[in-house]
Amino acid sequence: MHDDIRILRDRDQAAQRDIDRLSDSAPGGSRSLLCKTTTVSSYPTAAQAFYAVFNVEADGDESEGSSATLTAGTDAFYAWNCGSAIPPSGTCVIVHSVAGKMVFEFNG
Amino acid sequence: MPTGSFDYAPEGSILADLPAQIGAYRYDASEEGQAAYTFLPNIYCLQVQSKEGPEPSTAQFQYILDDSSLNASEGDPEDQDETFPSQFEELWPLESPASEYKVVAGDRMVVLETDPEGNQRVLWDGFAQIPQVDLSPRSQSVHFVGVGVAIRLWDSVIGGRVQRDGSKPTAVGTATSAVPTDLPTRFNPADPRNEAGLANCTPDDCDETLEDEDENEYPVFLDPHIDTPADSTTDYRSPAPSPEVPYQTYWTLGKAVRYLLATANIGRDDNDDLWVDNPDFSVLDDLFKNFKPSGSFYDPGDSSTYEAKDILIRDYDATNKPLPEVLWDLLAQNGFRYRFVTEGQAGEPNEDGTTTETPYTYIDFYRFDADGPTEPKQLRLPVSRSDLDPSGCNVSSFSAVQDLNGLVNQWEIETEPIRYEVSVLLAPGFEPTNGDEVASTSTRQKFLLSNLDNATGAEREKYRLWIANEAGQDGYWSIENQAFRKPKDALNDPIDFTDVFKPHDSQEKDADDPNYVERYRPGANRLLSLDPSGKPYRAQLAFSRDYAGADPPCLWDGTGTWQVINGSYRILREKLGIYITAESPEAWEIGVPGPDETKIEISGSLHAITCLSNPSGSGGSKQQQQFWLRLTTVIEGDHCLDAVAEDRPASPYPFTVSRRIDAKDHFKKEVIAKCSAFNTSGDEIVSRDDSDEALAYARQYRSAHEFPPLAGNAHIPWFTRSYSVGDRIDEITGRDVDLQTNAGAEQGEGAYYPFVVAVTWDFRGNQQSTTLQLSDRRTEPRHI
C-alpha cells in the first residue's frame, strides 16, 4: 500500500475518533428542583439557614383545576433559604443552583 | 494358447516435416460450419500469443503486398476490381476504399489450422484492432494486430452494485431481491467509526440464480447496518434468523467472483451468447480457499493434509474498473490465476466429410500452487551426444532464472492495536488549595469558565483535569496521602496496566519483560459493551463517596457505590482522562439519577472544588465529602492481534524473509477487561477476535510467495498445441532436470513447478515455432 494512502487513512481515523470524543452530554446550566423541606436532626430556627430538603416529583393530569400528585425522594440535601421567613417542615420550595450552592427563597 | 513375443523399436521421427497450414479467415457467427468463414488469401498470420490474466490473446497479421498476386478471382487479370490491394494507401487509412480483401477495425477474425485431411481447428478468435503501416525507400508493409474476443470484457466497467431490500434479506428471485443501483460496488467496506470492515453480503444459501443453462447462483449486496431483531418471535420477516446470527455475511473471494461474473460479464454476440463464457459457479467457492497445513508440510492435492478456509476480501472498491482487472486484483495477490481459453467446438461435418470447428471462449480459474489445473507436463532434451531425434527432443533453447529475490516466506498481518475496555480511577491532575472553595473573586470565582481566558496554565486545569498518569510524566494529587506527586517525584506512580495487557502466546519474553510501554492512551467515547438494543455504550464517568480501594490512578477493583455522571465533561484527546466543562466546578451539573439508578447525589450537582480543597469528614456534610471518579472507556494496547504465517520448511530458502500486510481497516481484536464496570463475569471477555481470519489471510500470501518463481522461456522449434497457459512443467526429460521449486517432497509437501504464463506460436519465415514463458514474463531478478 502506498505510504500516502496509509497516512491519509490514519488521519481520517484519528479525525473520526476526535469527533467521537466530542461530548454529547447535557450542557451545564443552572438547575432548578422542586423540593420539600424536611428535618434530618434539628430543624433550623432562623430564616436564612441551610435547610434539609427532599427532591419532589410532581405528576398529575395537566388540566385546569386538577390536582397534582407529589412524590418525595428519600435522600436529603441542603439548600440555603435567602428569604425572610422560616418555611414549615414539609413546605414545597423551588431550589436553584447558584454559584455552587443550592438556594431557595421563602418569604412566608 | 500359443504364445509369442516380438520386439518393437520404432524409428525416430523425421527431422523435417511440412509446416502446419495456418490461415486467416473473416468470421461470421450468424453462419454455421464452413459458411461462417471467409478465407483471406492476402493476409498472413505471423504470430499468436496467449497470456494469463487480464490480457486477451493477440495475433499479428500482415498483408501480402505483391503486384504479382493480382488475380484475386477468376476473370480478366487486368481488372483492378478483382485484385488484392497492393499499396498501403489502399489498406491503412480509415478512408481507404472498401474491399473484401481488406480488414477494417472491428472485423471478427479467426485463425484456423488445416490438417492434411482438411479438418480445420480453431487457433485464435478475435477482432482486428490496430492497423500499422511501415514505409521505407525499399519496402512497404501493412500489419495489424488482432485482439482476442476477451477484449469485449473491457467494453464496459463495473458500475453500481446490485443490492437486496433490507426488509427481506433472505428472499430470492423476487423483484426486490436484486435491485440495480448506482451505489459503489465496494466489498466489505471499512468503517472508521467501527474501526473494522463491515459485512455487506447477503446471507449464505440465499443467492440469486443467473438465467443461464447452468443456473449459476450468486450473492448480492445487503445493507451492512440493518439489525437482526432481538426478538425473532415478533419479527415479521420470514424466515427470521436466530438473534445471535446477523443477516449480513462477509464477502469471500468465491462469493465476490461469482457476483462479478454474474453482474459484470454481460456482453453478448449476435447469437446472444456471452463473448466469454462463465465457469460453473458451484466449484468456485471451494477453489478459492486458503489451505491451513495440518503439519509442517501439506499437499494441495491431498485434502487430508490441510484444512480449507474461506478467504475474506478486505475493503475493495470495484467501481469503474473493467471486470478482468478487478478479478486479477482480487485473485493474483492470493495465489490464484485465470486464463482466457479459446477452443474449437466440433459441429456438423462438412459436405466433403471434413470438420470445421466453431470458436468458443471461456474463462478458467486455477490455483497458482502445487494444485494447478492440469497434470504437469515435460520438456524433452536428451543427454548430449544422443542421436538427433525430434520425438525425444522438443527444446531448441531454454533459459530460466530462479528468482530468490522475489521470495517472501513469512507474512505478518498488521492490524490496529488490540483495544481494551477498562474502568480506571482517575486522580486530580492539579494540587487543590485549602480556601479555594471560598466564594470570592480571588478564589472560587477564579475558576469559572468565563475567567479562564486570562488564567494561568495551572488555573485552567485546577479542579477540572482528572488523569490516569499513564505515561508517568504528569503530576497528580494523591487522595489517600493528600499530597501532590510531581512528575519526577519518586512516589509518582503511573497507572499499572499489567492486569489488562497480556502478552501474545507467540511473544518470546522473559518474566521480567514488560507487557506494554508507558505512553499516553486517550480513551474512546464508544465502548465495546453493548446495550440491550445491541448498540455500544458510550464512555461512562461515575463518582463514588465510599470507594475504599487503591489510591488513584489505578484500575477499578470493583468496590464502592457509584453514580453515573451525565454531563459537563469531555474525554481528553491527548491522554487518558477527563476535563470538566461546567461553568463552575463548584456547581458541576452531573444530572439527576433515575429511579432505577444508584443515588448518591440527588441534587444533580457536585461541589468539585470544596470536596477537594476542604473535604468534610465522614460525619460532615455529604455534599462536601471527598469523591472519586471512575472512567470506563476503551484504550489501545501496544500489540496487534497475533497473526503470523511463519516460514515453512518447504521453502527452499534457508533464511526467513518477512513482510507485513497493512490490514488495519479490517481485522481486529477487542477485549472487555475484568476491571470494566460493564463486565460482571469476573474475567476478561474477548468480544471480538479476528485472529483466525487474519491468519488465513497471511497464509494465503505465504502460499503465493514462499517459493521462488522459476522465470524463463523454452523455445520449441515447431508449432505445437501440447502446451497451454496454466500448464506446469515438472522436468526436462532426457537430462532429468527436476524443475521443482520447493522442498519437502519426501515429507509429503506437494511439488511446486513453474507455470506456463504465455504461449507464443510464431509462423514467420520458413520455420514455425512455439515459445513458452514460465512463471513470470521476464527473466531479470526483481527486488521486493
Side-chain angles (χ1 to χ4, degrees):
Chain A
M1 176 178 288
H2 197 281
D3 284 348
D4 286 348
I5 298 173
R6 180 189 171 97
I7 291 170
L8 287 171
R9 191 186 65 192
D10 286 348
R11 288 178 186 171
D12 176 67
Q13 195 165 56
Q16 288 287 341
R17 288 175 180 166
D18 279 350
I19 292 170
D20 195 55
R21 282 193 198 96
L22 289 174
S23 174
D24 58 354
S25 54
S30 64
R31 175 173 298 281
S32 300
L33 294 171
L34 174 63
C35 296
K36 183 181 289 188
T37 61
T38 187
T39 303
V40 172
S41 59
S42 174
Y43 201 79
T45 55
Q48 293 188 342
F50 276 96
Y51 287 74
V53 295
F54 289 137
N55 66 312
V56 172
E57 298 285 336
D59 199 1
D61 183 23
E62 293 179 349
S63 60
E64 187 173 13
S66 59
S67 57
T69 305
L70 301 180
T71 307
T74 55
D75 294 307
F77 63 96
Y78 299 92
W80 184 70
N81 179 17
C82 65
S84 58
I86 301 172
S89 180
T91 301
C92 283
V93 294
I94 303 297
V95 174
H96 301 274
S97 174
V98 179
K101 301 300 177 187
M102 306 305 285
V103 177
F104 70 93
E105 181 181 16
F106 184 82
N107 296 312
Chain B
M1 174 78 67
T3 60
S5 65
F6 64 93
D7 295 323
Y8 177 64
E11 294 180 355
S13 300
I14 56 175
L15 297 181
D17 201 349
L18 293 172
Q21 299 300 308
I22 308 297
Y25 295 78
R26 183 180 283 112
Y27 180 68
D28 181 357
S30 62
E31 301 287 348
E32 293 183 1
Q34 280 185 327
Y37 297 97
T38 303
F39 179 56
L40 297 168
N42 64 322
I43 293 177
Y44 183 60
C45 179
L46 299 175
Q47 186 185 83
V48 171
Q49 186 176 59
S50 305
K51 307 165 194 169
E52 67 168 9
E55 296 200 44
S57 58
T58 57
Q60 290 186 27
F61 301 90
Q62 181 177 1
Y63 283 97
I64 300 173
L65 301 177
D66 187 348
D67 287 336
S68 65
S69 58
L70 295 178
N71 289 335
S73 63
E74 292 182 359
D76 186 351
E78 294 183 355
D79 185 345
Q80 295 298 309
D81 289 339
E82 297 179 345
T83 60
F84 303 142
S86 60
Q87 299 296 320
F88 79 94
E89 63 270 17
E90 298 177 82
L91 293 166
W92 180 73
L94 288 176
E95 300 299 323
S96 55
S99 164
E100 64 182 294
Y101 301 110
K102 170 188 165 186
V103 173
V104 298
D107 275 357
R108 180 114 177 241
M109 294 189 62
V110 174
V111 175
L112 296 177
E113 176 202 7
T114 305
D115 67 15
E117 285 76 37
N119 300 310
Q120 293 179 309
R121 300 172 65 186
V122 172
L123 294 186
W124 181 84
D125 175 20
F127 301 92
Q129 200 114 327
I130 309 169
Q132 175 182 336
V133 60
D134 295 296
L135 188 64
S136 73
R138 301 181 61 179
S139 68
Q140 61 175 336
S141 66
V142 180
H143 301 76
F144 64 93
V145 173
V147 188
V149 291
I151 192 65
R152 298 275 70 84
L153 295 178
W154 275 264
D155 287 350
S156 61
V157 294
I158 294 171
R161 64 179 182 247
V162 177
Q163 186 156 325
R164 180 170 296 167
D165 267 6
S167 63
K168 307 175 192 64
T170 57
V172 296
T174 69
T176 58
S177 62
V179 179
T181 71
D182 286 330
L183 303 170
T185 303
R186 188 175 173 191
F187 302 98
N188 299 338
D191 182 2
R193 293 167 297 175
N194 288 332
E195 301 190 345
L198 297 174
N200 63 343
C201 181
T202 43
D204 292 336
D205 300 325
C206 296
D207 290 346
E208 291 294 302
T209 302
L210 198 56
E211 291 181 0
D212 61 2
E213 59 185 28
D214 294 325
E215 295 188 322
N216 284 319
E217 297 183 339
Y218 63 100
V220 293
F221 284 83
L222 186 65
D223 192 327
H225 298 294
I226 59 172
D227 288 331
T228 307
D231 182 5
S232 60
T233 60
T234 59
D235 182 17
Y236 65 88
R237 294 163 287 190
S238 177
S242 69
E244 295 77 26
V245 179
Y247 287 117
Q248 305 91 338
T249 59
Y250 281 100
W251 288 95
T252 64
L253 264 188
K255 287 198 267 188
V257 170
R258 287 191 285 127
Y259 169 85
L260 290 167
L261 292 175
T263 59
N265 183 13
I266 55 176
R268 293 179 180 274
D269 59 18
D270 292 338
N271 293 334
D272 203 34
D273 294 323
L274 288 174
W275 288 112
V276 179
D277 204 6
N278 286 325
D280 181 2
F281 283 13
S282 64
V283 303
L284 293 181
D285 281 5
D286 286 335
L287 172 65
F288 297 130
K289 282 193 187 293
N290 164 258
F291 293 161
K292 174 186 174 183
S294 302
S296 298
F297 301 93
Y298 81 106
D299 180 358
D302 181 359
S303 59
S304 68
T305 63
Y306 60 83
E307 177 188 348
K309 296 182 76 70
D310 283 323
I311 301 170
L312 297 188
I313 292 180
R314 289 178 46 207
D315 186 356
Y316 182 82
D317 193 335
T319 316
N320 300 336
K321 298 174 185 172
L323 170 64
E325 293 173 20
V326 170
L327 292 174
W328 191 255
D329 279 350
L330 293 175
L331 297 175
Q333 63 179 343
N334 286 300
F336 300 95
R337 297 289 190 269
Y338 69 85
R339 55 186 179 175
F340 297 114
V341 181
T342 295
E343 294 177 343
Q345 291 181 318
E348 293 294 322
N350 301 318
E351 288 181 358
D352 57 1
T354 61
T355 58
T356 301
E357 290 182 341
T358 300
Y360 167 69
T361 301
Y362 61 93
I363 186 171
D364 181 37
F365 298 94
Y366 53 95
R367 298 185 67 92
F368 200 66
D369 60 14
D371 191 24
T374 57
E375 287 299 310
K377 297 179 180 175
Q378 297 77 42
L379 295 171
R380 299 192 301 276
L381 182 66
V383 296
S384 62
R385 298 192 181 88
S386 300
D387 292 338
L388 187 60
D389 180 3
S391 64
C393 173
N394 66 357
V395 176
S396 64
S397 64
F398 177 77
S399 66
V401 59
Q402 206 158 48
D403 186 5
L404 285 148
N405 272 346
L407 179 151
V408 177
N409 52 19
Q410 178 166 297
W411 289 87
E412 181 178 350
I413 303 296
E414 180 194 7
T415 67
E416 288 289 338
I418 300 173
R419 300 170 73 234
Y420 299 84
E421 179 181 300
V422 295
S423 290
V424 299
L425 271 290
L426 301 176
F430 50 88
E431 182 175 4
T433 305
N434 189 294
D436 277 346
E437 74 280 6
V438 173
S440 80
T441 54
S442 61
T443 49
R444 195 166 85 199
Q445 291 181 24
K446 198 168 49 175
F447 306 110
L448 293 176
L449 202 60
S450 51
N451 288 335
L452 292 185
D453 285 348
N454 298 317
T456 64
E459 287 168 346
R460 295 171 72 87
E461 294 178 349
K462 205 169 185 182
Y463 303 111
R464 294 182 181 272
L465 181 70
W466 290 71
I467 59 171
N469 190 34
E470 66 270 28
Q473 287 293 325
D474 295 313
Y476 65 90
W477 178 255
S478 168
I479 296 175
E480 180 179 303
N481 299 289
Q482 293 292 295
F484 189 68
R485 305 297 189 206
K486 293 181 179 177
K488 296 193 185 327
D489 193 318
L491 296 176
N492 182 304
D493 292 327
I495 187 170
D496 184 2
F497 285 122
T498 305
D499 285 345
V500 176
F501 300 142
K502 306 285 173 51
H504 287 313
D505 292 338
S506 63
Q507 270 183 280
E508 295 179 4
K509 60 184 292 295
D510 298 328
D512 295 334
D513 290 344
N515 294 342
Y516 65 96
V517 66
E518 293 171 355
R519 65 177 180 91
Y520 285 126
R521 301 173 194 273
N525 207 8
R526 195 182 300 264
L527 300 184
L528 306 177
S529 298
L530 304 178
D531 65 18
S533 64
K535 300 290 188 295
Y537 284 106
R538 306 293 276 182
Q540 184 193 80
L541 186 66
F543 80 98
S544 170
R545 290 197 172 109
D546 61 357
Y547 169 73
D551 190 27
C554 60
L555 299 176
W556 182 46
D557 62 359
T559 62
T561 309
W562 300 87
Q563 176 178 325
V564 175
I565 294 174
N566 286 317
S568 301
Y569 72 92
R570 61 173 169 83
I571 295 176
L572 301 177
R573 63 186 297 269
E574 68 278 6
K575 61 180 75 170
L576 183 56
I578 63 103
Y579 186 87
I580 298 172
T581 57
E583 171 66 16
S584 168
E586 185 66 2
W588 184 11
E589 307 301 334
I590 61 171
V592 177
D596 298 326
E597 294 179 2
T598 304
K599 301 176 186 55
I600 304 173
E601 181 54 63
I602 61 165
S603 69
S605 180
L606 268 185
H607 302 320
I609 297 179
T610 303
C611 294
L612 288 163
S613 62
N614 189 16
S616 63
S618 57
S621 164
K622 198 166 58 171
Q623 277 74 26
Q624 294 173 345
Q625 288 177 354
Q626 173 70 56
F627 65 84
W628 288 259
L629 289 184
R630 181 193 73 191
L631 176 65
T632 304
T633 183
V634 173
I635 58 175
E636 282 184 353
D638 290 338
H639 298 286
C640 309
L641 58 80
D642 194 4
V644 180
E646 297 180 343
D647 61 320
R648 300 192 302 124
S651 178
Y653 201 50
F655 303 101
T656 300
V657 180
S658 180
R659 293 291 182 270
R660 302 178 91 205
I661 304 167
D662 181 349
K664 292 197 292 186
D665 59 340
H666 198 81
F667 303 112
K668 64 176 182 176
K669 183 174 180 179
E670 296 173 337
V671 177
I672 302 173
K674 190 171 62 173
C675 62
S676 168
F678 291 94
N679 185 352
T680 57
S681 70
D683 202 354
E684 69 175 24
I685 299 170
V686 178
S687 60
R688 175 166 174 163
D689 188 355
D690 295 334
S691 298
D692 281 350
E693 290 80 1
L695 197 52
Y697 194 75
R699 269 191 236 109
Q700 199 56 34
Y701 266 79
R702 183 184 62 191
S703 300
H705 297 92
E706 64 181 337
F707 305 133
L710 193 149
N713 61 75
H715 187 77
I716 301 171
W718 53 75
F719 163 71
T720 176
R721 302 182 60 153
S722 300
Y723 302 92
S724 304
V725 171
D727 284 344
R728 292 173 294 158
I729 308 297
D730 63 356
E731 72 168 345
I732 303 176
T733 59
R735 297 291 180 109
D736 293 336
V737 175
D738 188 345
L739 299 180
Q740 182 173 345
T741 58
N742 61 330
E746 294 177 355
Q747 290 84 0
E749 179 78 8
Y752 189 93
Y753 299 114
F755 278 77
V756 176
V757 297
V759 174
T760 304
W761 294 321
D762 205 298
F763 308 117
R764 264 180 269 251
N766 295 324
Q767 182 167 18
Q768 298 171 340
S769 66
T770 302
T771 301
L772 313 178
Q773 285 181 294
L774 303 177
S775 283
D776 209 323
R777 291 200 301 276
R778 46 85 179 148
T779 54
E780 68 277 8
R782 180 177 59 190
H783 299 277
I784 286 187

PDB file of all heavy atoms in Angstrom, chain B residues 74-86:
ATOM      1  N   GLU B  74     -11.208 -15.611 -60.539  1.00  0.00           N
ATOM      2  CA  GLU B  74     -11.165 -15.885 -61.978  1.00  0.00           C
ATOM      3  C   GLU B  74     -11.663 -14.650 -62.712  1.00  0.00           C
ATOM      4  O   GLU B  74     -12.530 -13.921 -62.245  1.00  0.00           O
ATOM      5  CB  GLU B  74     -12.051 -17.087 -62.278  1.00  0.00           C
ATOM      6  CG  GLU B  74     -11.485 -18.379 -61.702  1.00  0.00           C
ATOM      7  CD  GLU B  74     -12.369 -19.560 -62.064  1.00  0.00           C
ATOM      8  OE1 GLU B  74     -13.395 -19.327 -62.728  1.00  0.00           O
ATOM      9  OE2 GLU B  74     -12.023 -20.672 -61.648  1.00  0.00           O
ATOM     10  N   GLY B  75     -11.116 -14.462 -63.876  1.00  0.00           N
ATOM     11  CA  GLY B  75     -11.568 -13.315 -64.653  1.00  0.00           C
ATOM     12  C   GLY B  75     -10.394 -12.592 -65.277  1.00  0.00           C
ATOM     13  O   GLY B  75      -9.266 -13.076 -65.286  1.00  0.00           O
ATOM     14  N   ASP B  76     -10.652 -11.439 -65.836  1.00  0.00           N
ATOM     15  CA  ASP B  76      -9.618 -10.665 -66.501  1.00  0.00           C
ATOM     16  C   ASP B  76      -8.581 -10.211 -65.486  1.00  0.00           C
ATOM     17  O   ASP B  76      -8.902  -9.490 -64.554  1.00  0.00           O
ATOM     18  CB  ASP B  76     -10.265  -9.458 -67.173  1.00  0.00           C
ATOM     19  CG  ASP B  76      -9.270  -8.687 -68.004  1.00  0.00           C
ATOM     20  OD1 ASP B  76      -8.049  -8.979 -67.928  1.00  0.00           O
ATOM     21  OD2 ASP B  76      -9.709  -7.784 -68.725  1.00  0.00           O
ATOM     22  N   PRO B  77      -7.316 -10.654 -65.619  1.00  0.00           N
ATOM     23  CA  PRO B  77      -6.305 -10.275 -64.629  1.00  0.00           C
ATOM     24  C   PRO B  77      -6.034  -8.789 -64.627  1.00  0.00           C
ATOM     25  O   PRO B  77      -5.473  -8.282 -63.667  1.00  0.00           O
ATOM     26  CB  PRO B  77      -5.059 -11.072 -65.037  1.00  0.00           C
ATOM     27  CG  PRO B  77      -5.259 -11.396 -66.482  1.00  0.00           C
ATOM     28  CD  PRO B  77      -6.740 -11.528 -66.688  1.00  0.00           C
ATOM     29  N   GLU B  78      -6.435  -8.075 -65.667  1.00  0.00           N
ATOM     30  CA  GLU B  78      -6.182  -6.648 -65.650  1.00  0.00           C
ATOM     31  C   GLU B  78      -7.338  -5.870 -65.035  1.00  0.00           C
ATOM     32  O   GLU B  78      -7.307  -4.652 -64.972  1.00  0.00           O
ATOM     33  CB  GLU B  78      -5.962  -6.158 -67.093  1.00  0.00           C
ATOM     34  CG  GLU B  78      -4.698  -6.732 -67.711  1.00  0.00           C
ATOM     35  CD  GLU B  78      -4.450  -6.198 -69.090  1.00  0.00           C
ATOM     36  OE1 GLU B  78      -5.329  -5.460 -69.595  1.00  0.00           O
ATOM     37  OE2 GLU B  78      -3.396  -6.514 -69.659  1.00  0.00           O
ATOM     38  N   ASP B  79      -8.321  -6.560 -64.601  1.00  0.00           N
ATOM     39  CA  ASP B  79      -9.448  -5.908 -63.941  1.00  0.00           C
ATOM     40  C   ASP B  79      -9.039  -5.594 -62.507  1.00  0.00           C
ATOM     41  O   ASP B  79      -8.942  -6.467 -61.654  1.00  0.00           O
ATOM     42  CB  ASP B  79     -10.661  -6.830 -63.961  1.00  0.00           C
ATOM     43  CG  ASP B  79     -11.888  -6.132 -63.402  1.00  0.00           C
ATOM     44  OD1 ASP B  79     -11.746  -5.075 -62.758  1.00  0.00           O
ATOM     45  OD2 ASP B  79     -12.997  -6.655 -63.585  1.00  0.00           O
ATOM     46  N   GLN B  80      -8.763  -4.319 -62.261  1.00  0.00           N
ATOM     47  CA  GLN B  80      -8.257  -3.945 -60.929  1.00  0.00           C
ATOM     48  C   GLN B  80      -9.259  -4.220 -59.821  1.00  0.00           C
ATOM     49  O   GLN B  80      -8.909  -4.332 -58.675  1.00  0.00           O
ATOM     50  CB  GLN B  80      -7.890  -2.447 -60.921  1.00  0.00           C
ATOM     51  CG  GLN B  80      -6.735  -2.106 -61.846  1.00  0.00           C
ATOM     52  CD  GLN B  80      -5.462  -2.814 -61.443  1.00  0.00           C
ATOM     53  OE1 GLN B  80      -5.058  -2.771 -60.294  1.00  0.00           O
ATOM     54  NE2 GLN B  80      -4.842  -3.489 -62.393  1.00  0.00           N
ATOM     55  N   ASP B  81     -10.517  -4.318 -60.163  1.00  0.00           N
ATOM     56  CA  ASP B  81     -11.504  -4.583 -59.118  1.00  0.00           C
ATOM     57  C   ASP B  81     -11.362  -5.991 -58.555  1.00  0.00           C
ATOM     58  O   ASP B  81     -11.895  -6.283 -57.510  1.00  0.00           O
ATOM     59  CB  ASP B  81     -12.922  -4.412 -59.676  1.00  0.00           C
ATOM     60  CG  ASP B  81     -13.213  -2.952 -59.944  1.00  0.00           C
ATOM     61  OD1 ASP B  81     -12.530  -2.098 -59.364  1.00  0.00           O
ATOM     62  OD2 ASP B  81     -14.125  -2.675 -60.741  1.00  0.00           O
ATOM     63  N   GLU B  82     -10.691  -6.875 -59.243  1.00  0.00           N
ATOM     64  CA  GLU B  82     -10.577  -8.246 -58.792  1.00  0.00           C
ATOM     65  C   GLU B  82      -9.191  -8.550 -58.261  1.00  0.00           C
ATOM     66  O   GLU B  82      -8.797  -9.692 -58.127  1.00  0.00           O
ATOM     67  CB  GLU B  82     -10.892  -9.202 -59.937  1.00  0.00           C
ATOM     68  CG  GLU B  82     -12.323  -9.069 -60.438  1.00  0.00           C
ATOM     69  CD  GLU B  82     -12.599 -10.006 -61.593  1.00  0.00           C
ATOM     70  OE1 GLU B  82     -11.634 -10.526 -62.166  1.00  0.00           O
ATOM     71  OE2 GLU B  82     -13.776 -10.192 -61.916  1.00  0.00           O
ATOM     72  N   THR B  83      -8.425  -7.526 -57.934  1.00  0.00           N
ATOM     73  CA  THR B  83      -7.077  -7.759 -57.429  1.00  0.00           C
ATOM     74  C   THR B  83      -7.015  -7.453 -55.956  1.00  0.00           C
ATOM     75  O   THR B  83      -7.852  -6.739 -55.392  1.00  0.00           O
ATOM     76  CB  THR B  83      -6.066  -6.863 -58.156  1.00  0.00           C
ATOM     77  OG1 THR B  83      -6.441  -5.484 -57.911  1.00  0.00           O
ATOM     78  CG2 THR B  83      -6.074  -7.135 -59.638  1.00  0.00           C
ATOM     79  N   PHE B  84      -6.007  -8.054 -55.332  1.00  0.00           N
ATOM     80  CA  PHE B  84      -5.785  -7.721 -53.934  1.00  0.00           C
ATOM     81  C   PHE B  84      -5.241  -6.304 -53.842  1.00  0.00           C
ATOM     82  O   PHE B  84      -4.505  -5.861 -54.709  1.00  0.00           O
ATOM     83  CB  PHE B  84      -4.734  -8.658 -53.315  1.00  0.00           C
ATOM     84  CG  PHE B  84      -5.056 -10.110 -53.400  1.00  0.00           C
ATOM     85  CD1 PHE B  84      -4.057 -11.038 -53.649  1.00  0.00           C
ATOM     86  CD2 PHE B  84      -6.352 -10.568 -53.245  1.00  0.00           C
ATOM     87  CE1 PHE B  84      -4.337 -12.388 -53.732  1.00  0.00           C
ATOM     88  CE2 PHE B  84      -6.643 -11.919 -53.344  1.00  0.00           C
ATOM     89  CZ  PHE B  84      -5.632 -12.837 -53.598  1.00  0.00           C
ATOM     90  N   PRO B  85      -5.574  -5.592 -52.780  1.00  0.00           N
ATOM     91  CA  PRO B  85      -4.913  -4.300 -52.545  1.00  0.00           C
ATOM     92  C   PRO B  85      -3.409  -4.522 -52.402  1.00  0.00           C
ATOM     93  O   PRO B  85      -2.974  -5.437 -51.697  1.00  0.00           O
ATOM     94  CB  PRO B  85      -5.518  -3.837 -51.213  1.00  0.00           C
ATOM     95  CG  PRO B  85      -6.779  -4.600 -51.055  1.00  0.00           C
ATOM     96  CD  PRO B  85      -6.555  -5.909 -51.729  1.00  0.00           C
ATOM     97  N   SER B  86      -2.633  -3.730 -53.107  1.00  0.00           N
ATOM     98  CA  SER B  86      -1.200  -3.961 -53.095  1.00  0.00           C
ATOM     99  C   SER B  86      -0.405  -2.742 -52.677  1.00  0.00           C
ATOM    100  O   SER B  86       0.831  -2.778 -52.670  1.00  0.00           O
ATOM    101  CB  SER B  86      -0.719  -4.417 -54.487  1.00  0.00           C
ATOM    102  OG  SER B  86      -1.029  -3.393 -55.432  1.00  0.00           O
TER     103      SER B  86
END
